[in-house]
Amino acid sequence: MAATLGVAAVPAEAVTTTTTQTTACPTGWGSTAKARSAATSESVTNIRTGRHACFDRMVVDVPGASTRDLGYSVGYVSRLHQDGSGNHIPVAGGAVLEVRVAAPAYDPDTGKPTYPARAGQRLPGVDLTGYRTFRDARFAGSFEGDTQIGLGVRARLPFRVWVATDRVVIDVAHNWTGAR
């Protein structure tokens, strides 16, 4: 009795291979302080956050402000201290980014708040559940035309800051390597 083993031949043109190309995240942002000298009397009305494939994002909305009039100072600090009083505001996370936007969170003519936050409290409407990098976001206050925010992040990670009409944007990378 002879057994026969049959193997089907597959023509070469029928074999396909698929390679998955992973897009790398932007790198080279660094973790040193970043600043832009400009100021506006237009008021902060909202602060919001979003999750992206490579970074977590915070956006400070300043309706009516042009790109050339939006200034900021963003950098890592060991502890967040409120302008004016010097009070320490605890911010959870492995590192704290102090975000200053050169725009008031109040109407300069009336002094009435334009952003409904309280010093030392979490940012209204911001839920950081499920974020890879962001851990906490606290309103420090608005003093002499500057709005101050504490952004708690997982670790001291690279970040970038940029402006667009009506807003200042802070992106904090998920890692140093640019891998997703």
Side-chain angles (χ1 to χ4, degrees), residues 2 93 103 129 147 165 179:
T129 303
T147 298
T165 303

Side-chain angles (χ1 to χ4, degrees), residues 1 17 24 38 42 48 65 67 74 80-81 89 99 114 121 128 140-141 150 155 161 165 176:
M1 246 194 210
T17 57
E42 299 297 336
R48 53 199 165 94
T67 304
V74 180
L80 182 66
H81 293 278
I89 296 177
V99 176
T114 56
Q121 301 299 309
L128 300 178
V161 185
T165 303
W176 280 95

Side-chain angles (χ1 to χ4, degrees), residues 25-155:
C25 296
T27 59
W29 295 351
S31 64
T32 59
K34 294 155 181 59
R36 183 171 191 261
S37 295
T40 183
S41 60
E42 299 297 336
S43 301
V44 172
T45 60
N46 192 32
I47 301 171
R48 53 199 165 94
T49 59
R51 294 179 290 177
H52 295 265
C54 298
F55 53 85
D56 290 347
R57 172 173 286 171
M58 173 179 277
V59 179
V60 181
D61 291 316
V62 189
S66 69
T67 304
R68 76 169 185 274
D69 294 334
L70 284 170
Y72 58 80
S73 172
V74 180
Y76 284 102
V77 295
S78 57
R79 291 169 52 113
L80 182 66
H81 293 278
Q82 183 182 38
D83 283 346
S85 71
N87 290 337
H88 170 247
I89 296 177
V91 181
V96 177
L97 266 176
E98 180 180 38
V99 176
R100 293 173 181 271
V101 176
Y106 54 83
D107 182 320
D109 295 329
T110 65
K112 183 180 175 181
T114 56
Y115 178 65
R118 297 180 50 93
Q121 301 299 309
R122 288 192 174 95
L123 300 179
V126 171
D127 180 3
L128 300 178
T129 303
Y131 280 67
R132 286 183 58 188
T133 298
F134 291 174
R135 296 294 182 258
D136 195 9
R138 301 284 173 157
F139 187 73
S142 193
F143 183 71
E144 294 183 349
D146 280 354
T147 298
Q148 182 186 23
I149 303 144
L151 180 58
V153 297
R154 182 172 44 80

